[in-house]
Coordinates of all heavy atoms in Angstrom, one line a residue:
M1 N 0.8 -1.2 0.0 CA 0.0 0.0 0.0 C 0.9 1.2 0.0 O 1.8 1.3 0.8 CB -0.9 0.0 1.2 CG -1.7 1.2 1.4 SD -2.8 1.2 2.9 CE -3.7 2.7 2.6
D2 N 0.6 2.2 -0.9 CA 1.3 3.4 -0.9 C 0.7 4.4 0.1 O -0.5 4.8 -0.1 CB 1.2 4.0 -2.4 CG 2.2 5.2 -2.6 OD1 3.2 5.2 -1.8 OD2 1.9 6.0 -3.4
I3 N 1.4 4.8 1.1 CA 0.9 5.5 2.2 C 1.0 7.0 1.9 O 2.1 7.5 1.6 CB 1.7 5.2 3.5 CG1 1.6 3.7 3.9 CG2 1.1 6.1 4.7 CD1 0.2 3.2 4.1
D4 N -0.1 7.7 2.0 CA -0.1 9.2 2.0 C -0.1 9.6 3.4 O -1.2 9.6 4.1 CB -1.4 9.7 1.2 CG -1.5 11.2 1.1 OD1 -0.9 11.9 2.0 OD2 -2.2 11.7 0.3
V5 N 1.0 10.0 3.9 CA 1.2 10.3 5.4 C 0.2 11.4 5.8 O -0.4 11.3 6.9 CB 2.7 10.7 5.7 CG1 2.8 11.1 7.1 CG2 3.6 9.5 5.3
K6 N 0.1 12.5 5.0 CA -0.8 13.6 5.4 C -2.2 13.1 5.5 O -2.9 13.4 6.5 CB -0.6 14.8 4.5 CG -1.4 16.0 4.9 CD -1.1 17.2 4.1 CE -1.8 18.4 4.6 NZ -1.4 19.6 4.0
R7 N -2.7 12.4 4.5 CA -4.1 11.9 4.4 C -4.3 11.0 5.6 O -5.4 11.1 6.2 CB -4.3 11.2 3.1 CG -5.7 10.7 3.0 CD -6.0 9.9 1.7 NE -7.4 9.4 1.7 CZ -7.8 8.5 0.9 NH1 -6.9 7.9 0.0 NH2 -9.0 8.1 0.9
T8 N -3.4 10.1 5.9 CA -3.5 9.2 7.0 C -3.7 9.9 8.3 O -4.5 9.5 9.1 CB -2.4 8.2 7.0 OG1 -2.3 7.5 5.7 CG2 -2.5 7.1 8.1
A9 N -2.8 10.9 8.5 CA -2.9 11.7 9.8 C -4.3 12.4 9.9 O -4.8 12.4 11.0 CB -1.8 12.7 9.8
I10 N -4.8 12.9 8.8 CA -6.1 13.6 8.8 C -7.2 12.6 9.2 O -8.1 12.9 10.0 CB -6.3 14.3 7.5 CG1 -5.4 15.5 7.4 CG2 -7.8 14.8 7.4 CD1 -5.4 16.2 6.0
I11 N -7.1 11.4 8.6 CA -8.1 10.4 8.8 C -8.1 10.0 10.3 O -9.2 10.0 11.0 CB -7.9 9.2 8.0 CG1 -8.3 9.5 6.5 CG2 -8.7 8.0 8.5 CD1 -8.0 8.4 5.5
F12 N -6.9 9.7 10.9 CA -6.9 9.3 12.2 C -7.2 10.4 13.2 O -7.7 10.1 14.3 CB -5.6 8.5 12.5 CG -5.8 7.1 11.9 CD1 -5.3 6.9 10.6 CD2 -6.4 6.1 12.5 CE1 -5.4 5.6 10.0 CE2 -6.6 4.9 12.0 CZ -6.1 4.6 10.7
K13 N -6.9 11.6 12.8 CA -7.3 12.8 13.7 C -8.9 12.8 13.8 O -9.4 13.1 14.9 CB -6.9 14.1 13.1 CG -7.4 15.3 13.9 CD -7.1 16.6 13.2 CE -7.7 17.8 13.9 NZ -7.5 19.0 13.3
A14 N -9.6 12.4 12.8 CA -11.0 12.4 12.8 C -11.6 11.4 13.8 O -12.6 11.5 14.4 CB -11.6 12.0 11.4
F15 N -10.8 10.3 14.1 CA -11.2 9.3 15.1 C -10.9 9.7 16.5 O -11.2 9.0 17.4 CB -10.5 8.0 14.7 CG -11.0 7.3 13.5 CD1 -10.1 7.0 12.5 CD2 -12.3 7.1 13.2 CE1 -10.5 6.4 11.3 CE2 -12.7 6.5 12.0 CZ -11.8 6.1 11.1
C16 N -10.2 10.8 16.7 CA -9.6 11.1 18.0 C -10.5 12.1 18.8 O -10.0 13.0 19.5 CB -8.2 11.7 17.9 SG -7.0 10.6 17.3
D17 N -11.8 11.9 18.8 CA -12.8 12.7 19.5 C -14.0 11.8 19.8 O -14.5 11.2 18.9 CB -13.1 13.9 18.8 CG -14.0 14.8 19.6 OD1 -13.5 15.7 20.3 OD2 -15.3 14.7 19.5
E18 N -14.4 11.9 21.1 CA -15.6 11.1 21.5 C -16.9 11.4 20.7 O -17.7 10.6 20.3 CB -15.9 11.2 23.0 CG -14.8 10.6 23.8 CD -15.0 10.9 25.3 OE1 -16.2 11.1 25.7 OE2 -14.0 10.8 26.0
N19 N -17.1 12.7 20.4 CA -18.3 13.2 19.7 C -18.2 12.6 18.3 O -19.2 12.2 17.7 CB -18.4 14.7 19.7 CG -18.9 15.2 21.0 OD1 -19.8 14.7 21.6 ND2 -18.3 16.4 21.4
R20 N -17.0 12.7 17.6 CA -17.0 12.2 16.3 C -17.1 10.6 16.2 O -17.8 10.1 15.3 CB -15.6 12.6 15.6 CG -15.6 14.1 15.4 CD -14.5 14.6 14.5 NE -13.2 14.5 15.2 CZ -12.6 15.5 15.9 NH1 -13.3 16.6 16.1 NH2 -11.4 15.3 16.4
I21 N -16.7 9.9 17.2 CA -16.9 8.5 17.3 C -18.4 8.2 17.4 O -19.0 7.3 16.8 CB -16.1 7.8 18.4 CG1 -14.6 8.0 18.2 CG2 -16.5 6.4 18.6 CD1 -14.0 7.3 17.0
R22 N -19.1 9.0 18.2 CA -20.5 8.8 18.4 C -21.2 9.1 17.1 O -22.2 8.4 16.7 CB -21.0 9.7 19.5 CG -22.5 9.5 19.8 CD -22.8 9.6 21.3 NE -24.2 9.2 21.5 CZ -25.1 10.1 21.8 NH1 -24.8 11.4 22.1 NH2 -26.3 9.7 22.0
I23 N -20.8 10.2 16.4 CA -21.4 10.5 15.1 C -21.3 9.3 14.2 O -22.2 8.9 13.5 CB -20.8 11.8 14.5 CG1 -21.3 13.0 15.3 CG2 -21.2 11.9 13.0 CD1 -20.5 14.3 15.0
L24 N -20.1 8.7 14.1 CA -19.8 7.6 13.2 C -20.7 6.4 13.6 O -21.3 5.7 12.7 CB -18.4 7.2 13.2 CG -17.4 8.2 12.6 CD1 -16.0 7.8 12.9 CD2 -17.7 8.3 11.1
Q25 N -20.9 6.2 14.9 CA -21.8 5.1 15.3 C -23.3 5.4 14.9 O -23.9 4.5 14.4 CB -21.8 5.0 16.9 CG -20.5 4.4 17.4 CD -20.5 4.4 18.9 OE1 -21.0 5.3 19.6 NE2 -19.9 3.4 19.5
L26 N -23.7 6.7 14.9 CA -25.0 7.0 14.4 C -25.2 6.8 12.9 O -26.2 6.4 12.4 CB -25.4 8.4 14.8 CG -25.6 8.7 16.3 CD1 -25.7 10.2 16.5 CD2 -26.8 8.0 16.8
L27 N -24.1 7.0 12.2 CA -24.1 6.9 10.7 C -24.0 5.5 10.3 O -24.2 5.2 9.1 CB -23.0 7.8 10.1 CG -23.2 9.3 10.3 CD1 -22.0 10.0 9.7 CD2 -24.5 9.8 9.6
Q28 N -23.6 4.5 11.2 CA -23.5 3.1 10.8 C -24.8 2.6 10.3 O -24.8 1.7 9.4 CB -23.1 2.3 12.0 CG -21.6 2.3 12.3 CD -21.3 1.4 13.5 OE1 -21.8 1.5 14.6 NE2 -20.3 0.5 13.3
G29 N -25.9 3.1 10.7 CA -27.2 2.7 10.2 C -27.6 3.2 8.9 O -28.7 2.9 8.4
G30 N -26.8 4.1 8.3 CA -27.1 4.7 7.1 C -27.1 6.2 7.2 O -26.9 6.8 8.2
E31 N -27.5 6.9 6.0 CA -27.4 8.3 5.9 C -28.4 9.0 7.0 O -29.5 8.5 7.2 CB -27.9 8.7 4.5 CG -27.8 10.2 4.3 CD -28.3 10.6 2.9 OE1 -29.5 10.6 2.7 OE2 -27.4 10.9 2.1
K32 N -27.9 10.1 7.6 CA -28.7 10.8 8.6 C -28.6 12.3 8.2 O -27.6 12.8 7.8 CB -28.1 10.6 10.0 CG -28.0 9.2 10.5 CD -29.3 8.8 11.0 CE -29.3 7.4 11.7 NZ -29.1 6.3 10.9
C33 N -29.7 12.9 8.5 CA -29.8 14.4 8.3 C -29.1 15.1 9.5 O -29.1 14.5 10.6 CB -31.3 14.8 8.3 SG -31.6 16.5 8.2
A34 N -28.5 16.2 9.3 CA -27.9 16.9 10.4 C -28.9 17.2 11.5 O -28.5 17.2 12.7 CB -27.3 18.2 9.9
C35 N -30.1 17.4 11.2 CA -31.1 17.7 12.2 C -31.3 16.5 13.1 O -31.4 16.7 14.4 CB -32.5 18.1 11.6 SG -33.2 16.9 10.5
M36 N -31.2 15.3 12.6 CA -31.3 14.1 13.4 C -30.1 13.9 14.3 O -30.1 13.6 15.4 CB -31.5 12.9 12.5 CG -31.8 11.6 13.3 SD -30.2 10.9 13.8 CE -30.7 9.3 14.2
L37 N -28.9 14.2 13.7 CA -27.7 14.1 14.5 C -27.7 15.1 15.6 O -27.2 14.8 16.7 CB -26.4 14.4 13.6 CG -26.2 13.3 12.5 CD1 -25.1 13.8 11.6 CD2 -25.9 12.0 13.1
L38 N -28.2 16.3 15.4 CA -28.3 17.3 16.4 C -29.2 16.8 17.6 O -28.8 17.0 18.8 CB -28.9 18.6 15.9 CG -27.9 19.5 15.1 CD1 -28.7 20.7 14.4 CD2 -26.9 20.1 16.1
E39 N -30.3 16.2 17.3 CA -31.2 15.7 18.3 C -30.5 14.6 19.1 O -30.6 14.5 20.3 CB -32.5 15.1 17.7 CG -33.4 16.2 17.2 CD -34.6 15.6 16.4 OE1 -34.9 14.4 16.6 OE2 -35.3 16.4 15.7
E40 N -29.9 13.6 18.4 CA -29.3 12.5 19.0 C -28.1 12.9 19.9 O -27.8 12.3 20.9 CB -28.9 11.4 18.0 CG -30.0 10.8 17.3 CD -30.7 9.8 18.1 OE1 -30.1 9.1 19.0 OE2 -32.0 9.7 18.0
M41 N -27.3 13.8 19.4 CA -26.0 14.2 20.0 C -26.2 15.2 21.2 O -25.4 15.3 22.0 CB -25.1 14.8 19.0 CG -24.6 13.9 17.9 SD -23.5 12.6 18.5 CE -22.1 13.6 19.1
N42 N -27.3 15.9 21.1 CA -27.6 17.0 22.2 C -26.4 17.9 22.2 O -25.9 18.2 23.3 CB -27.9 16.3 23.5 CG -28.5 17.3 24.5 OD1 -29.2 18.3 24.1 ND2 -28.3 17.1 25.8
I43 N -26.0 18.4 21.0 CA -25.0 19.4 20.9 C -25.5 20.6 20.1 O -26.6 20.5 19.5 CB -23.7 18.9 20.3 CG1 -23.9 18.3 18.9 CG2 -23.0 17.9 21.2 CD1 -22.7 17.8 18.2
T44 N -24.8 21.7 20.0 CA -25.2 22.9 19.3 C -24.9 22.7 17.8 O -24.0 21.9 17.4 CB -24.6 24.1 19.8 OG1 -23.2 24.1 19.5 CG2 -24.8 24.4 21.2
Q45 N -25.5 23.4 16.9 CA -25.3 23.3 15.5 C -23.9 23.7 15.1 O -23.2 23.0 14.3 CB -26.3 24.2 14.8 CG -26.3 24.0 13.3 CD -25.3 24.8 12.6 OE1 -24.9 25.9 13.0 NE2 -24.7 24.2 11.5
P46 N -23.3 24.8 15.7 CA -21.9 25.1 15.4 C -20.9 23.9 15.8 O -20.0 23.7 15.1 CB -21.6 26.3 16.2 CG -22.9 27.0 16.4 CD -23.9 25.8 16.5
T47 N -21.2 23.3 16.9 CA -20.4 22.2 17.4 C -20.5 21.0 16.4 O -19.5 20.4 16.0 CB -20.7 21.7 18.8 OG1 -20.6 22.8 19.7 CG2 -19.9 20.5 19.2
L48 N -21.7 20.7 16.0 CA -21.9 19.6 15.0 C -21.2 20.0 13.7 O -20.5 19.1 13.1 CB -23.4 19.4 14.7 CG -23.7 18.3 13.6 CD1 -23.2 17.0 14.1 CD2 -25.1 18.3 13.3
S49 N -21.3 21.2 13.2 CA -20.6 21.7 12.0 C -19.1 21.5 12.1 O -18.5 21.0 11.1 CB -21.0 23.1 11.7 OG -22.3 23.2 11.3
H50 N -18.6 21.8 13.2 CA -17.1 21.6 13.4 C -16.7 20.2 13.3 O -15.8 19.8 12.5 CB -16.7 22.2 14.8 CG -15.4 21.8 15.2 ND1 -14.2 22.4 14.7 CD2 -14.9 20.8 16.1 CE1 -13.2 21.8 15.3 NE2 -13.6 20.9 16.1
H51 N -17.4 19.3 13.9 CA -17.1 17.9 13.9 C -17.4 17.3 12.5 O -16.6 16.5 12.0 CB -17.9 17.1 14.9 CG -17.5 17.3 16.3 ND1 -16.2 17.2 16.8 CD2 -18.2 17.8 17.4 CE1 -16.1 17.5 18.0 NE2 -17.3 17.9 18.4
M52 N -18.4 17.7 11.8 CA -18.7 17.2 10.5 C -17.7 17.7 9.5 O -17.3 17.0 8.5 CB -20.1 17.6 10.0 CG -21.2 17.0 10.9 SD -21.0 15.3 11.3 CE -21.2 14.5 9.8
K53 N -17.1 18.9 9.7 CA -16.1 19.4 8.8 C -14.9 18.5 8.9 O -14.3 18.1 7.9 CB -15.7 20.8 9.1 CG -14.6 21.4 8.2 CD -14.4 22.8 8.4 CE -13.3 23.4 7.5 NZ -12.7 22.7 6.5
I54 N -14.5 18.2 10.1 CA -13.3 17.3 10.3 C -13.6 15.9 9.7 O -12.7 15.4 9.0 CB -13.0 17.2 11.8 CG1 -12.4 18.6 12.3 CG2 -11.9 16.1 12.0 CD1 -12.3 18.7 13.7
L55 N -14.7 15.4 9.9 CA -15.1 14.0 9.4 C -15.1 14.1 7.8 O -14.6 13.1 7.2 CB -16.4 13.5 9.9 CG -16.3 13.1 11.4 CD1 -17.7 12.9 12.0 CD2 -15.5 11.8 11.5
C56 N -15.7 15.1 7.3 CA -15.8 15.2 5.8 C -14.4 15.5 5.2 O -14.1 14.9 4.2 CB -16.8 16.3 5.4 SG -18.5 15.8 5.7
D57 N -13.6 16.4 5.8 CA -12.3 16.7 5.3 C -11.4 15.4 5.3 O -10.5 15.3 4.5 CB -11.6 17.8 6.1 CG -12.2 19.2 5.8 OD1 -13.0 19.3 4.8 OD2 -11.9 20.1 6.5
S58 N -11.6 14.5 6.2 CA -10.8 13.3 6.3 C -11.2 12.3 5.3 O -10.4 11.4 5.0 CB -11.0 12.7 7.7 OG -12.3 12.0 7.8
G59 N -12.4 12.4 4.7 CA -12.9 11.5 3.7 C -13.6 10.3 4.3 O -14.0 9.4 3.6
I60 N -13.8 10.3 5.6 CA -14.5 9.2 6.3 C -16.0 9.4 6.2 O -16.7 8.4 6.2 CB -14.1 9.1 7.8 CG1 -12.6 8.8 8.0 CG2 -14.9 8.2 8.6 CD1 -12.2 7.4 7.4
V61 N -16.4 10.6 6.1 CA -17.9 10.9 5.9 C -18.0 11.8 4.7 O -17.2 12.6 4.4 CB -18.4 11.6 7.2 CG1 -19.8 12.2 7.0 CG2 -18.4 10.7 8.4
I62 N -19.2 11.5 4.0 CA -19.5 12.4 2.9 C -20.8 13.1 3.2 O -21.7 12.5 3.9 CB -19.6 11.6 1.5 CG1 -20.5 10.4 1.7 CG2 -18.2 11.2 1.1 CD1 -20.7 9.7 0.4
G63 N -21.0 14.3 2.7 CA -22.2 15.0 2.9 C -22.8 15.5 1.6 O -22.2 15.7 0.6
R64 N -24.2 15.6 1.6 CA -24.9 16.1 0.5 C -26.0 17.0 1.0 O -26.6 16.8 2.0 CB -25.4 15.0 -0.4 CG -26.5 14.2 0.2 CD -27.2 13.2 -0.7 NE -28.3 12.5 0.0 CZ -29.5 13.0 0.0 NH1 -29.8 14.2 -0.5 NH2 -30.4 12.4 0.7
K65 N -26.2 18.1 0.3 CA -27.2 19.1 0.7 C -28.5 18.8 0.0 O -28.6 18.5 -1.2 CB -26.7 20.5 0.3 CG -27.6 21.6 0.9 CD -26.9 22.9 0.7 CE -27.7 24.0 1.3 NZ -27.4 24.4 2.6
E66 N -29.5 18.8 0.8 CA -30.9 18.6 0.4 C -31.8 19.7 1.0 O -32.0 19.7 2.2 CB -31.4 17.2 0.7 CG -32.8 16.9 0.1 CD -33.2 15.5 0.4 OE1 -32.5 14.6 0.0 OE2 -34.3 15.4 1.1
G67 N -32.2 20.7 0.2 CA -32.9 21.8 0.8 C -32.0 22.6 1.7 O -30.8 22.9 1.3
K68 N -32.4 22.9 2.9 CA -31.6 23.6 3.8 C -30.7 22.7 4.7 O -29.9 23.2 5.5 CB -32.4 24.6 4.7 CG -33.3 23.9 5.7 CD -34.0 24.9 6.6 CE -34.7 24.2 7.7 NZ -35.2 25.1 8.7
W69 N -30.9 21.4 4.6 CA -30.2 20.5 5.5 C -29.1 19.7 4.8 O -29.2 19.4 3.6 CB -31.2 19.5 6.1 CG -32.1 20.1 7.1 CD1 -33.4 20.4 7.0 CD2 -31.7 20.5 8.4 NE1 -33.9 21.0 8.1 CE2 -32.9 21.1 9.0 CE3 -30.6 20.5 9.2 CZ2 -32.9 21.6 10.3 CZ3 -30.6 21.1 10.5 CH2 -31.7 21.6 11.0
M70 N -28.1 19.3 5.5 CA -27.1 18.5 5.1 C -27.4 17.0 5.5 O -27.9 16.8 6.6 CB -25.7 18.8 5.6 CG -25.1 20.1 5.0 SD -24.7 19.9 3.3 CE -23.4 18.8 3.3
H71 N -27.1 16.1 4.7 CA -27.3 14.7 5.0 C -25.9 14.0 4.9 O -25.2 14.3 3.9 CB -28.3 14.0 4.0 CG -29.6 14.5 4.1 ND1 -30.6 13.9 4.7 CD2 -30.2 15.7 3.7 CE1 -31.8 14.6 4.7 NE2 -31.5 15.7 4.0
Y72 N -25.6 13.2 5.9 CA -24.3 12.6 6.0 C -24.3 11.1 6.0 O -25.3 10.5 6.5 CB -23.6 13.1 7.3 CG -23.4 14.6 7.3 CD1 -24.2 15.4 8.0 CD2 -22.3 15.2 6.7 CE1 -24.0 16.8 8.1 CE2 -22.1 16.5 6.7 CZ -23.0 17.3 7.4 OH -22.7 18.7 7.4
S73 N -23.3 10.5 5.4 CA -23.1 9.1 5.4 C -21.7 8.7 5.5 O -20.8 9.5 5.2 CB -23.8 8.4 4.2 OG -23.2 9.0 3.0
I74 N -21.4 7.5 5.9 CA -20.0 7.0 5.9 C -19.5 6.7 4.5 O -20.3 6.2 3.7 CB -19.9 5.7 6.8 CG1 -20.2 6.1 8.3 CG2 -18.6 5.1 6.7 CD1 -20.3 5.0 9.2
S75 N -18.3 7.1 4.2 CA -17.7 6.9 2.9 C -17.0 5.6 2.9 O -16.1 5.3 3.7 CB -16.7 8.0 2.6 OG -15.8 7.7 1.6
E76 N -17.5 4.7 2.0 CA -16.8 3.4 1.9 C -15.4 3.5 1.5 O -14.5 2.8 2.1 CB -17.6 2.6 0.8 CG -19.0 2.2 1.2 CD -19.0 1.2 2.3 OE1 -18.1 0.3 2.4 OE2 -19.9 1.3 3.2
A77 N -15.0 4.5 0.6 CA -13.6 4.6 0.2 C -12.8 5.1 1.4 O -11.6 4.6 1.5 CB -13.6 5.6 -0.9
G78 N -13.3 6.0 2.2 CA -12.5 6.5 3.4 C -12.3 5.4 4.4 O -11.2 5.2 4.9
I79 N -13.3 4.6 4.6 CA -13.2 3.5 5.6 C -12.2 2.4 5.0 O -11.3 1.9 5.7 CB -14.5 2.8 5.9 CG1 -15.4 3.8 6.6 CG2 -14.4 1.5 6.7 CD1 -14.9 4.4 7.9
E80 N -12.3 2.1 3.7 CA -11.4 1.2 3.1 C -9.9 1.6 3.2 O -9.1 0.8 3.5 CB -11.7 0.9 1.6 CG -13.0 0.1 1.5 CD -13.4 -0.1 0.0 OE1 -12.5 0.1 -0.9 OE2 -14.5 -0.4 -0.2
Y81 N -9.7 2.9 3.0 CA -8.3 3.4 3.1 C -7.8 3.2 4.6 O -6.7 2.7 4.8 CB -8.2 4.9 2.7 CG -6.8 5.4 2.8 CD1 -6.0 5.4 1.7 CD2 -6.3 6.0 4.0 CE1 -4.7 5.8 1.7 CE2 -5.0 6.5 4.0 CZ -4.2 6.4 2.9 OH -2.9 6.9 3.0
A82 N -8.6 3.6 5.6 CA -8.2 3.4 7.0 C -7.9 1.9 7.3 O -7.0 1.6 7.9 CB -9.3 4.0 7.9
Q83 N -8.8 1.1 6.8 CA -8.6 -0.4 7.0 C -7.4 -0.9 6.4 O -6.6 -1.7 7.0 CB -9.8 -1.2 6.5 CG -11.1 -1.0 7.3 CD -12.3 -1.7 6.7 OE1 -12.4 -1.8 5.5 NE2 -13.1 -2.3 7.6
E84 N -7.1 -0.5 5.2 CA -5.9 -0.9 4.5 C -4.6 -0.4 5.2 O -3.7 -1.2 5.3 CB -5.9 -0.4 3.0 CG -6.9 -1.1 2.1 CD -6.9 -0.4 0.7 OE1 -6.0 0.3 0.4 OE2 -7.9 -0.7 0.0
Y85 N -4.7 0.8 5.7 CA -3.5 1.3 6.4 C -3.3 0.4 7.7 O -2.2 0.0 7.9 CB -3.7 2.8 6.8 CG -2.6 3.3 7.7 CD1 -1.3 3.5 7.1 CD2 -2.7 3.5 9.0 CE1 -0.2 3.9 7.8 CE2 -1.6 3.9 9.8 CZ -0.4 4.1 9.2 OH 0.7 4.5 9.9
L86 N -4.3 0.2 8.5 CA -4.2 -0.6 9.7 C -3.7 -2.0 9.3 O -2.8 -2.6 10.0 CB -5.5 -0.6 10.5 CG -5.9 0.7 11.1 CD1 -7.3 0.6 11.7 CD2 -4.8 1.1 12.2
T87 N -4.2 -2.6 8.3 CA -3.8 -3.9 7.9 C -2.4 -3.9 7.5 O -1.6 -4.9 7.8 CB -4.7 -4.4 6.7 OG1 -6.1 -4.5 7.2 CG2 -4.3 -5.8 6.2
S88 N -1.9 -2.9 6.8 CA -0.5 -2.8 6.4 C 0.4 -2.7 7.6 O 1.5 -3.3 7.5 CB -0.3 -1.6 5.4 OG -0.2 -0.4 6.2
L89 N 0.0 -2.1 8.6 CA 0.8 -2.1 9.9 C 1.0 -3.5 10.4 O 2.0 -3.9 10.8 CB 0.2 -1.2 10.9 CG 0.2 0.3 10.6 CD1 -0.6 1.0 11.7 CD2 1.6 0.8 10.5
K90 N -0.1 -4.2 10.4 CA -0.1 -5.6 10.9 C 0.8 -6.5 10.0 O 1.6 -7.3 10.5 CB -1.5 -6.2 11.0 CG -1.6 -7.6 11.5 CD -3.0 -8.1 11.6 CE -3.0 -9.5 12.0 NZ -4.3 -10.1 11.8
N91 N 0.6 -6.4 8.7 CA 1.3 -7.2 7.8 C 2.8 -6.9 7.9 O 3.6 -7.8 7.8 CB 0.8 -7.0 6.4 CG -0.5 -7.6 6.2 OD1 -1.0 -8.4 7.0 ND2 -1.2 -7.2 5.2
D92 N 3.2 -5.6 8.0 CA 4.6 -5.2 8.1 C 5.2 -5.8 9.4 O 6.3 -6.3 9.3 CB 4.8 -3.7 8.2 CG 4.5 -3.0 6.8 OD1 4.5 -3.8 5.8 OD2 4.4 -1.8 6.8
K93 N 4.5 -5.8 10.5 CA 5.0 -6.4 11.7 C 5.2 -7.9 11.5 O 6.2 -8.5 11.9 CB 4.0 -6.2 12.8 CG 4.4 -6.7 14.2 CD 3.4 -6.4 15.2 CE 3.8 -7.1 16.5 NZ 2.8 -7.0 17.6
E94 N 4.2 -8.6 10.9 CA 4.3 -10.0 10.7 C 5.5 -10.3 9.8 O 6.2 -11.3 10.0 CB 3.0 -10.6 10.1 CG 1.9 -10.6 11.1 CD 0.6 -11.0 10.5 OE1 0.5 -11.2 9.3 OE2 -0.4 -11.1 11.3
D95 N 5.7 -9.5 8.7 CA 6.8 -9.7 7.8 C 8.1 -9.6 8.5 O 9.0 -10.4 8.2 CB 6.7 -8.8 6.6 CG 5.5 -9.1 5.7 OD1 5.0 -10.2 5.8 OD2 5.2 -8.2 4.9
N96 N 8.2 -8.6 9.4 CA 9.5 -8.4 10.1 C 9.8 -9.5 11.1 O 10.9 -9.8 11.3 CB 9.5 -7.0 10.8 CG 9.5 -5.9 9.8 OD1 10.0 -6.0 8.7 ND2 9.0 -4.7 10.3
C97 N 8.7 -10.1 11.7 CA 8.9 -11.1 12.6 C 9.4 -12.4 12.0 O 10.0 -13.3 12.6 CB 7.7 -11.4 13.4 SG 7.3 -10.0 14.6
N98 N 9.0 -12.6 10.7 CA 9.4 -13.8 10.0 C 10.7 -13.8 9.4 O 11.2 -14.8 8.9 CB 8.3 -14.1 8.9 CG 7.0 -14.4 9.5 OD1 6.9 -15.0 10.6 ND2 5.9 -14.1 8.8
E99 N 11.4 -12.7 9.5 CA 12.7 -12.6 8.8 C 13.8 -13.1 9.8 O 13.7 -13.2 10.9 CB 13.0 -11.2 8.4 CG 12.1 -10.7 7.3 CD 12.3 -9.3 6.9 OE1 13.2 -8.6 7.5 OE2 11.6 -8.9 6.0

């Protein structure tokens, strides 16, 4: 796997907050409107926007606008990249132990 160090750091920064982890848990069931996330999270709209920007910038979440609301879902490509990176760490360790 060809590692993009900057992209990888941005992705894992997105995982380093309890609110963002909770948002990802809510999105596991499929696309959610920002209004629903606000209700479930019991946070302010500016706080949600901050977290969603980090998640979207990382590529882990994608957003689409419908009317006045944003709808968010987990990005398969973003998750696959993170999984591949973690797998490469494990594989590198196993390869080094076998030498």
Side-chain angles (χ1 to χ4, degrees):
M1 174 181 188
D2 192 24
I3 303 298
D4 179 338
V5 176
K6 186 172 184 171
R7 178 180 181 201
T8 303
I10 291 169
I11 287 172
F12 285 93
K13 175 186 175 183
F15 293 125
C16 292
D17 183 90
E18 292 176 24
N19 284 320
R20 291 192 289 272
I21 298 298
R22 184 139 186 253
I23 290 167
L24 291 170
Q25 288 176 324
L26 291 170
L27 294 177
Q28 280 182 304
E31 183 180 77
K32 301 277 188 292
C33 176
C35 59
M36 187 277 195
L37 294 173
L38 281 170
E39 288 176 17
E40 293 287 326
M41 296 289 297
N42 195 28
I43 57 177
T44 65
Q45 190 278 327
T47 300
L48 178 65
S49 291
H50 167 76
H51 290 302
M52 297 316 295
K53 178 172 179 12
I54 291 170
L55 287 166
C56 288
D57 286 351
S58 75
I60 294 296
V61 170
I62 52 175
R64 66 174 185 85
K65 190 166 177 96
E66 185 175 300
K68 69 175 190 169
W69 290 106
M70 287 296 292
H71 295 258
Y72 297 100
S73 59
I74 293 176
S75 164
E76 291 294 323
I79 295 300
E80 284 177 22
Y81 182 88
Q83 286 176 324
E84 287 175 16
Y85 177 73
L86 290 173
T87 299
S88 76
L89 292 176
K90 180 181 175 190
N91 290 342
D92 287 347
K93 180 181 177 186
E94 289 173 356
D95 290 345
N96 289 336
C97 289
N98 292 329
E99 293 179 359

